Amino acid sequence: MNHNQDFLQNDFELVFQDETIQTDVVYQGQSFWKDVWHRFIQNKGALVGFVFIVFLVLMAIFAPMFSSHTYDSVIMDHVNLPPRIPGLEKLGIFNGTHNGVNIYEQRGLDDVYYFFGTDTLGRDIWTRVWVGTRVSLYIAALAVVIDMVFGMTYGMISGYLGGRVDIYMQRFIEILSGIPNLVIVTLLVIVMKPGIMSITIALLITGWIGMSRVVRSQVLKLKELDYILASRTLGVKTPGIIKQDILPNIFGQVIIMSMFSIPNAIFYESFLAFIGLGLQPPMASLGVLISDGFKSLLAYPHMLLFPVVVLAILMLSFNLLADGLRDAFDPKMKEM
Protein backbone atom coordinates (compact mmCIF):
# COMPACT_ATOMS: atom_id res chain seq x y z
CA MET A 1 0.00 0.00 0.00
CA ASN A 2 2.80 2.37 0.87
CA HIS A 3 4.61 1.31 -2.25
CA ASN A 4 1.58 2.26 -4.40
CA GLN A 5 1.22 5.65 -2.66
CA ASP A 6 4.91 6.47 -3.24
CA PHE A 7 4.55 5.50 -6.90
CA LEU A 8 1.50 7.75 -7.42
CA GLN A 9 3.17 10.65 -5.62
CA ASN A 10 6.31 10.38 -7.78
CA ASP A 11 4.20 10.17 -10.94
CA PHE A 12 2.20 13.24 -9.84
CA GLU A 13 5.41 15.20 -9.24
CA LEU A 14 6.78 14.26 -12.67
CA VAL A 15 3.62 15.52 -14.36
CA PHE A 16 3.96 18.91 -12.67
CA GLN A 17 7.63 19.12 -13.58
CA ASP A 18 7.06 18.37 -17.27
CA GLU A 19 3.90 20.39 -17.85
CA THR A 20 2.90 23.92 -16.90
CA ILE A 21 -0.51 24.71 -15.60
CA GLN A 22 -2.53 27.04 -17.87
CA THR A 23 -4.67 29.50 -16.01
CA ASP A 24 -8.07 30.56 -17.28
CA VAL A 25 -8.11 33.57 -19.56
CA VAL A 26 -10.46 36.29 -18.32
CA TYR A 27 -12.11 38.34 -21.05
CA GLN A 28 -13.27 41.84 -20.27
CA GLY A 29 -16.95 42.45 -20.91
CA GLN A 30 -17.95 44.95 -23.59
CA SER A 31 -21.30 46.66 -23.96
CA PHE A 32 -23.36 46.37 -27.15
CA TRP A 33 -22.81 50.00 -28.17
CA LYS A 34 -19.05 49.78 -27.62
CA ASP A 35 -18.99 46.66 -29.77
CA VAL A 36 -20.95 48.48 -32.50
CA TRP A 37 -18.57 51.45 -32.34
CA HIS A 38 -15.53 49.15 -32.53
CA ARG A 39 -16.84 47.43 -35.66
CA PHE A 40 -17.84 50.77 -37.20
CA ILE A 41 -14.41 52.42 -36.86
CA GLN A 42 -12.82 49.36 -38.47
CA ASN A 43 -14.90 49.94 -41.61
CA LYS A 44 -12.83 52.31 -43.74
CA GLY A 45 -15.60 52.95 -46.22
CA ALA A 46 -18.01 54.04 -43.49
CA LEU A 47 -15.39 56.34 -41.98
CA VAL A 48 -14.74 57.94 -45.37
CA GLY A 49 -18.45 58.47 -45.85
CA PHE A 50 -18.80 59.99 -42.38
CA VAL A 51 -15.86 62.36 -42.95
CA PHE A 52 -17.29 63.54 -46.27
CA ILE A 53 -20.72 64.12 -44.71
CA VAL A 54 -19.18 66.24 -41.95
CA PHE A 55 -17.15 68.13 -44.56
CA LEU A 56 -20.21 68.83 -46.72
CA VAL A 57 -22.23 69.95 -43.68
CA LEU A 58 -19.48 72.40 -42.68
CA MET A 59 -19.18 73.67 -46.24
CA ALA A 60 -22.94 74.16 -46.50
CA ILE A 61 -22.87 76.23 -43.31
CA PHE A 62 -19.73 78.31 -43.78
CA ALA A 63 -18.80 78.26 -47.51
CA PRO A 64 -21.31 80.94 -48.60
CA MET A 65 -19.62 83.32 -46.16
CA PHE A 66 -16.48 83.28 -48.31
CA SER A 67 -18.36 84.95 -51.15
CA SER A 68 -19.63 88.52 -51.22
CA HIS A 69 -22.55 87.46 -53.42
CA THR A 70 -25.87 85.96 -52.35
CA TYR A 71 -27.50 83.02 -54.08
CA ASP A 72 -29.94 85.27 -55.97
CA SER A 73 -27.75 88.30 -56.75
CA VAL A 74 -27.75 88.98 -60.52
CA ILE A 75 -24.78 90.76 -62.16
CA MET A 76 -25.22 90.93 -65.91
CA ASP A 77 -21.58 91.99 -66.45
CA HIS A 78 -20.45 88.68 -64.90
CA VAL A 79 -22.52 86.36 -67.08
CA ASN A 80 -21.12 82.88 -67.94
CA LEU A 81 -17.77 83.31 -66.23
CA PRO A 82 -15.69 80.10 -65.88
CA PRO A 83 -14.16 79.08 -62.51
CA ARG A 84 -11.26 81.18 -61.26
CA ILE A 85 -9.53 80.43 -57.94
CA PRO A 86 -6.67 82.53 -56.56
CA GLY A 87 -3.46 80.55 -56.22
CA LEU A 88 -4.57 77.75 -58.53
CA GLU A 89 -4.70 80.07 -61.53
CA LYS A 90 -0.89 80.24 -61.47
CA LEU A 91 -0.80 76.47 -61.94
CA GLY A 92 -2.82 76.72 -65.13
CA ILE A 93 -6.08 75.34 -63.65
CA PHE A 94 -9.21 77.25 -62.68
CA ASN A 95 -7.67 80.35 -64.19
CA GLY A 96 -10.80 81.74 -65.85
CA THR A 97 -9.96 80.41 -69.31
CA HIS A 98 -12.69 79.21 -71.65
CA ASN A 99 -11.88 77.88 -75.14
CA GLY A 100 -8.33 79.21 -74.76
CA VAL A 101 -9.46 82.75 -73.88
CA ASN A 102 -9.21 84.30 -70.41
CA ILE A 103 -12.74 85.67 -70.05
CA TYR A 104 -11.87 87.71 -66.96
CA GLU A 105 -9.08 89.61 -68.71
CA GLN A 106 -11.21 90.02 -71.80
CA ARG A 107 -13.91 91.78 -69.75
CA GLY A 108 -11.50 93.72 -67.58
CA LEU A 109 -12.31 91.77 -64.39
CA ASP A 110 -8.77 91.43 -63.08
CA ASP A 111 -9.64 91.41 -59.35
CA VAL A 112 -12.78 89.26 -59.64
CA TYR A 113 -12.80 85.60 -58.60
CA TYR A 114 -15.61 83.03 -58.81
CA PHE A 115 -14.59 79.66 -57.39
CA PHE A 116 -17.24 77.75 -59.38
CA GLY A 117 -17.91 80.38 -62.04
CA THR A 118 -21.23 82.07 -62.76
CA ASP A 119 -24.43 81.07 -64.57
CA THR A 120 -26.35 82.66 -67.44
CA LEU A 121 -27.63 85.44 -65.15
CA GLY A 122 -24.28 86.22 -63.52
CA ARG A 123 -25.12 84.49 -60.24
CA ASP A 124 -22.33 82.96 -58.16
CA ILE A 125 -22.47 79.18 -58.58
CA TRP A 126 -20.27 78.67 -55.48
CA THR A 127 -22.88 80.27 -53.23
CA ARG A 128 -25.79 78.60 -55.02
CA VAL A 129 -24.23 75.12 -54.77
CA TRP A 130 -23.71 75.31 -51.02
CA VAL A 131 -27.11 76.90 -50.39
CA GLY A 132 -28.56 74.07 -52.48
CA THR A 133 -26.64 71.58 -50.35
CA ARG A 134 -28.44 73.00 -47.32
CA VAL A 135 -31.73 72.04 -48.96
CA SER A 136 -30.47 68.49 -49.56
CA LEU A 137 -29.31 68.20 -45.94
CA TYR A 138 -32.71 69.48 -44.79
CA ILE A 139 -34.36 66.74 -46.84
CA ALA A 140 -31.95 64.20 -45.30
CA ALA A 141 -32.81 65.31 -41.76
CA LEU A 142 -36.51 65.34 -42.63
CA ALA A 143 -36.32 61.76 -43.94
CA VAL A 144 -34.72 60.58 -40.68
CA VAL A 145 -37.33 62.36 -38.53
CA ILE A 146 -40.20 60.95 -40.60
CA ASP A 147 -38.80 57.41 -40.34
CA MET A 148 -38.11 57.67 -36.62
CA VAL A 149 -41.38 59.32 -35.61
CA PHE A 150 -44.06 58.17 -38.04
CA GLY A 151 -42.67 54.98 -39.55
CA MET A 152 -41.36 53.42 -36.35
CA THR A 153 -44.42 54.33 -34.27
CA TYR A 154 -46.89 53.13 -36.90
CA GLY A 155 -45.04 49.85 -37.43
CA MET A 156 -44.71 49.05 -33.72
CA ILE A 157 -48.39 49.72 -33.02
CA SER A 158 -49.51 47.66 -36.02
CA GLY A 159 -47.21 44.73 -35.30
CA TYR A 160 -47.67 44.55 -31.53
CA LEU A 161 -51.44 44.93 -31.36
CA GLY A 162 -52.10 42.65 -34.32
CA GLY A 163 -55.59 41.40 -35.13
CA ARG A 164 -58.05 43.75 -36.76
CA VAL A 165 -55.97 46.79 -35.86
CA ASP A 166 -53.07 45.39 -37.86
CA ILE A 167 -55.34 44.50 -40.79
CA TYR A 168 -56.88 47.99 -41.00
CA MET A 169 -53.52 49.73 -40.62
CA GLN A 170 -51.91 47.62 -43.32
CA ARG A 171 -54.80 48.20 -45.74
CA PHE A 172 -54.36 51.94 -45.20
CA ILE A 173 -50.65 51.63 -46.07
CA GLU A 174 -51.50 49.65 -49.22
CA ILE A 175 -53.81 52.44 -50.35
CA LEU A 176 -51.11 55.07 -49.80
CA SER A 177 -48.36 53.04 -51.44
CA GLY A 178 -50.60 52.41 -54.45
CA ILE A 179 -50.57 56.14 -55.29
CA PRO A 180 -47.36 57.16 -57.14
CA ASN A 181 -45.33 59.85 -55.41
CA LEU A 182 -45.25 61.93 -58.58
CA VAL A 183 -49.06 62.07 -58.59
CA ILE A 184 -49.09 63.22 -54.96
CA VAL A 185 -46.56 65.97 -55.65
CA THR A 186 -48.44 67.08 -58.76
CA LEU A 187 -51.67 67.39 -56.79
CA LEU A 188 -49.87 69.34 -54.09
CA VAL A 189 -48.39 71.68 -56.69
CA ILE A 190 -51.90 72.35 -58.02
CA VAL A 191 -53.10 73.29 -54.54
CA MET A 192 -49.88 74.92 -53.35
CA LYS A 193 -46.96 76.64 -55.02
CA PRO A 194 -44.01 74.43 -56.04
CA GLY A 195 -41.39 74.59 -53.35
CA ILE A 196 -39.91 73.03 -50.28
CA MET A 197 -43.25 72.91 -48.47
CA SER A 198 -44.91 70.72 -51.12
CA ILE A 199 -41.93 68.32 -51.05
CA THR A 200 -42.06 68.21 -47.24
CA ILE A 201 -45.77 67.34 -47.25
CA ALA A 202 -45.22 64.69 -49.94
CA LEU A 203 -42.53 63.03 -47.81
CA LEU A 204 -44.79 63.23 -44.75
CA ILE A 205 -47.52 61.41 -46.66
CA THR A 206 -45.53 58.50 -48.09
CA GLY A 207 -41.93 58.71 -46.82
CA TRP A 208 -42.51 56.51 -43.76
CA ILE A 209 -44.19 53.49 -45.39
CA GLY A 210 -41.02 51.45 -45.95
CA MET A 211 -39.84 51.97 -42.38
CA SER A 212 -43.23 51.00 -40.91
CA ARG A 213 -43.21 47.69 -42.79
CA VAL A 214 -39.71 46.81 -41.60
CA VAL A 215 -40.53 47.69 -37.98
CA ARG A 216 -43.79 45.74 -38.13
CA SER A 217 -42.02 42.60 -39.36
CA GLN A 218 -39.44 42.88 -36.58
CA VAL A 219 -42.12 43.37 -33.90
CA LEU A 220 -44.11 40.39 -35.17
CA LYS A 221 -40.98 38.26 -34.80
CA LEU A 222 -40.05 39.54 -31.35
CA LYS A 223 -43.41 39.71 -29.57
CA GLU A 224 -43.78 35.93 -29.37
CA LEU A 225 -40.38 35.31 -27.80
CA ASP A 226 -40.07 34.00 -24.25
CA TYR A 227 -38.77 37.17 -22.62
CA ILE A 228 -41.74 39.16 -23.98
CA LEU A 229 -44.15 36.56 -22.62
CA ALA A 230 -42.32 36.70 -19.29
CA SER A 231 -42.78 40.47 -19.12
CA ARG A 232 -46.50 40.07 -19.78
CA THR A 233 -46.74 37.44 -17.09
CA LEU A 234 -45.04 39.77 -14.60
CA GLY A 235 -47.65 42.41 -15.36
CA VAL A 236 -45.61 44.85 -17.46
CA LYS A 237 -47.94 47.04 -19.49
CA THR A 238 -47.76 47.41 -23.27
CA PRO A 239 -45.89 50.77 -23.32
CA GLY A 240 -43.28 49.33 -20.95
CA ILE A 241 -42.79 46.21 -23.07
CA ILE A 242 -42.40 48.27 -26.22
CA LYS A 243 -39.98 50.70 -24.58
CA GLN A 244 -37.84 48.25 -22.59
CA ASP A 245 -37.99 44.97 -24.52
CA ILE A 246 -38.87 45.60 -28.17
CA LEU A 247 -37.45 49.03 -29.03
CA PRO A 248 -33.82 48.29 -27.97
CA ASN A 249 -33.83 45.15 -30.14
CA ILE A 250 -35.04 46.88 -33.31
CA PHE A 251 -33.30 50.23 -32.89
CA GLY A 252 -30.26 49.13 -34.89
CA GLN A 253 -32.44 48.09 -37.82
CA VAL A 254 -34.30 51.41 -37.58
CA ILE A 255 -31.05 53.39 -37.80
CA ILE A 256 -29.90 51.36 -40.79
CA MET A 257 -33.18 51.87 -42.65
CA SER A 258 -33.11 55.61 -41.88
CA MET A 259 -29.62 55.96 -43.32
CA PHE A 260 -30.62 54.12 -46.50
CA SER A 261 -33.72 56.31 -46.90
CA ILE A 262 -31.64 59.52 -46.92
CA PRO A 263 -30.11 59.11 -50.43
CA ASN A 264 -33.53 58.22 -51.82
CA ALA A 265 -35.05 61.37 -50.30
CA ILE A 266 -32.22 63.57 -51.61
CA PHE A 267 -32.55 62.12 -55.11
CA TYR A 268 -36.34 62.52 -54.88
CA GLU A 269 -36.01 66.26 -54.20
CA SER A 270 -33.39 66.70 -56.92
CA PHE A 271 -35.54 64.85 -59.45
CA LEU A 272 -38.59 66.95 -58.66
CA ALA A 273 -36.54 70.14 -58.98
CA PHE A 274 -35.08 68.90 -62.28
CA ILE A 275 -38.55 68.38 -63.82
CA GLY A 276 -39.85 71.68 -62.45
CA LEU A 277 -41.99 70.44 -59.54
CA GLY A 278 -39.54 71.31 -56.76
CA LEU A 279 -37.96 74.57 -55.77
CA GLN A 280 -38.32 77.34 -58.31
CA PRO A 281 -35.65 79.86 -59.36
CA PRO A 282 -34.17 82.02 -57.97
CA MET A 283 -34.25 79.56 -55.04
CA ALA A 284 -31.28 77.21 -55.17
CA SER A 285 -31.17 73.47 -54.73
CA LEU A 286 -28.88 70.91 -56.33
CA GLY A 287 -31.73 69.75 -58.55
CA VAL A 288 -32.42 73.31 -59.73
CA LEU A 289 -28.73 73.86 -60.46
CA ILE A 290 -28.47 70.59 -62.37
CA SER A 291 -31.56 71.54 -64.40
CA ASP A 292 -30.12 74.97 -65.23
CA GLY A 293 -26.66 73.57 -65.98
CA PHE A 294 -28.07 70.88 -68.25
CA LYS A 295 -29.45 73.56 -70.58
CA SER A 296 -25.94 75.01 -71.04
CA LEU A 297 -23.99 71.75 -70.89
CA LEU A 298 -22.28 71.97 -74.28
CA ALA A 299 -21.33 75.64 -74.06
CA TYR A 300 -20.55 75.97 -70.32
CA PRO A 301 -20.05 72.52 -68.70
CA HIS A 302 -18.90 74.03 -65.39
CA MET A 303 -22.52 75.00 -64.61
CA LEU A 304 -23.45 71.32 -64.45
CA LEU A 305 -20.18 69.83 -63.20
CA PHE A 306 -20.05 71.22 -59.67
CA PRO A 307 -23.64 70.54 -58.50
CA VAL A 308 -23.47 67.03 -59.98
CA VAL A 309 -20.21 66.28 -58.17
CA VAL A 310 -21.52 67.59 -54.84
CA LEU A 311 -24.78 65.62 -55.20
CA ALA A 312 -22.91 62.43 -56.13
CA ILE A 313 -20.50 62.74 -53.18
CA LEU A 314 -23.39 63.44 -50.81
CA MET A 315 -25.41 60.40 -51.90
CA LEU A 316 -22.37 58.12 -52.03
CA SER A 317 -21.28 59.20 -48.54
CA PHE A 318 -24.68 58.41 -47.03
CA ASN A 319 -24.69 55.02 -48.75
CA LEU A 320 -21.22 54.20 -47.39
CA LEU A 321 -22.30 55.30 -43.91
CA ALA A 322 -25.44 53.18 -44.12
CA ASP A 323 -23.44 50.12 -45.21
CA GLY A 324 -21.03 50.64 -42.30
CA LEU A 325 -23.85 50.95 -39.78
CA ARG A 326 -25.52 47.83 -41.15
CA ASP A 327 -22.31 45.81 -40.76
CA ALA A 328 -21.70 47.28 -37.30
CA PHE A 329 -25.16 46.49 -35.94
CA ASP A 330 -25.51 43.12 -37.66
CA PRO A 331 -22.19 41.60 -38.82
CA LYS A 332 -24.00 38.59 -40.30
CA MET A 333 -25.58 40.86 -42.94
CA LYS A 334 -22.12 41.41 -44.44
CA GLU A 335 -21.97 37.75 -45.42
CA MET A 336 -25.34 37.83 -47.20
Side-chain angles (χ1 to χ4, degrees), residues 133 135 167 188 202 212 233 302 317 333:
T133 306
V135 176
I167 293 175
L188 289 174
S212 68
T233 305
H302 70 273
S317 299
M333 292 291 292

Side-chain angles (χ1 to χ4, degrees), residues 37-112:
W37 173 251
H38 180 68
R39 286 196 294 265
F40 177 77
I41 61 177
Q42 289 181 334
N43 191 319
K44 295 181 180 179
L47 290 178
V48 170
F50 178 75
V51 169
F52 272 108
I53 290 172
V54 173
F55 172 75
L56 291 175
V57 170
L58 294 177
M59 291 297 291
I61 295 173
F62 298 108
M65 301 178 184
F66 293 98
S67 175
S68 58
H69 307 284
T70 61
Y71 71 92
D72 57 350
S73 59
V74 176
I75 305 176
M76 298 307 298
D77 293 336
H78 296 177
V79 170
N80 298 330
L81 290 175
R84 186 186 187 190
I85 301 176
L88 294 181
E89 61 179 342
K90 297 180 180 179
L91 301 177
I93 56 175
F94 297 111
N95 55 1
T97 301
H98 181 66
N99 292 332
V101 178
N102 193 314
I103 306 299
Y104 289 82
E105 293 180 357
Q106 187 181 53
R107 299 184 185 180
L109 304 174
D110 296 333
D111 298 330
V112 176

Side-chain angles (χ1 to χ4, degrees), residues 16-307:
F16 271 89
Q17 290 176 359
D18 295 338
E19 298 182 4
T20 58
I21 300 176
Q22 182 178 1
T23 59
D24 293 336
V25 179
V26 179
Y27 295 96
Q28 185 178 3
Q30 192 172 15
S31 66
F32 171 73
W33 291 105
K34 287 184 178 180
D35 192 31
V36 168
W37 173 251
H38 180 68
R39 286 196 294 265
F40 177 77
I41 61 177
Q42 289 181 334
N43 191 319
K44 295 181 180 179
L47 290 178
V48 170
F50 178 75
V51 169
F52 272 108
I53 290 172
V54 173
F55 172 75
L56 291 175
V57 170
L58 294 177
M59 291 297 291
I61 295 173
F62 298 108
M65 301 178 184
F66 293 98
S67 175
S68 58
H69 307 284
T70 61
Y71 71 92
D72 57 350
S73 59
V74 176
I75 305 176
M76 298 307 298
D77 293 336
H78 296 177
V79 170
N80 298 330
L81 290 175
R84 186 186 187 190
I85 301 176
L88 294 181
E89 61 179 342
K90 297 180 180 179
L91 301 177
I93 56 175
F94 297 111
N95 55 1
T97 301
H98 181 66
N99 292 332
V101 178
N102 193 314
I103 306 299
Y104 289 82
E105 293 180 357
Q106 187 181 53
R107 299 184 185 180
L109 304 174
D110 296 333
D111 298 330
V112 176
Y113 291 92
Y114 287 100
F115 297 158
F116 288 172
T118 60
D119 60 8
T120 54
L121 295 176
R123 295 173 297 192
D124 184 12
I125 297 179
W126 167 272
T127 305
R128 290 178 63 78
V129 164
W130 297 119
V131 171
T133 306
R134 293 178 183 177
V135 176
S136 297
L137 293 174
Y138 163 77
I139 295 297
L142 180 66
V144 173
V145 171
I146 291 173
D147 281 343
M148 290 289 187
V149 176
F150 293 99
M152 187 173 63
T153 303
Y154 195 95
M156 283 196 297
I157 294 174
S158 177
Y160 188 81
L161 295 181
R164 288 191 174 184
V165 175
D166 183 39
I167 293 175
Y168 292 144
M169 294 178 75
Q170 292 307 306
R171 299 298 83 76
F172 177 70
I173 284 182
E174 290 175 0
I175 294 173
L176 283 182
S177 60
I179 305 174
N181 291 336
L182 190 59
V183 173
I184 295 175
V185 175
T186 304
L187 294 175
L188 289 174
V189 169
I190 295 174
V191 178
M192 308 168 58
K193 293 182 179 180
I196 195 67
M197 185 56 65
S198 60
I199 297 175
T200 300
I201 296 175
L203 289 175
L204 286 172
I205 293 175
T206 59
W208 50 271
I209 293 177
M211 173 63 75
S212 68
R213 286 174 171 170
V214 171
V215 171
R216 173 181 175 270
S217 65
Q218 294 293 321
V219 172
L220 288 174
K221 181 176 67 175
L222 292 174
K223 74 174 186 178
E224 301 299 333
L225 296 180
D226 293 339
Y227 71 94
I228 301 293
L229 299 176
S231 297
R232 290 178 187 169
T233 305
L234 293 174
V236 181
K237 296 182 179 180
T238 298
I241 293 176
I242 292 177
K243 181 180 178 181
Q244 299 175 6
D245 297 328
I246 294 180
L247 185 58
N249 288 282
I250 67 173
F251 193 67
Q253 190 70 24
V254 169
I255 293 177
I256 295 168
M257 282 294 298
S258 298
M259 290 296 104
F260 277 113
S261 67
I262 288 175
N264 293 330
I266 293 175
F267 180 78
Y268 180 61
E269 183 277 328
S270 300
F271 171 74
L272 292 177
F274 183 80
I275 63 176
L277 295 178
L279 271 70
Q280 300 298 309
M283 292 295 295
S285 75
L286 294 178
V288 171
L289 295 174
I290 292 173
S291 178
D292 292 341
F294 181 74
K295 301 172 185 177
S296 306
L297 173 61
L298 297 179
Y300 303 102
H302 70 273
M303 296 183 188
L304 180 65
L305 175 63
F306 295 107

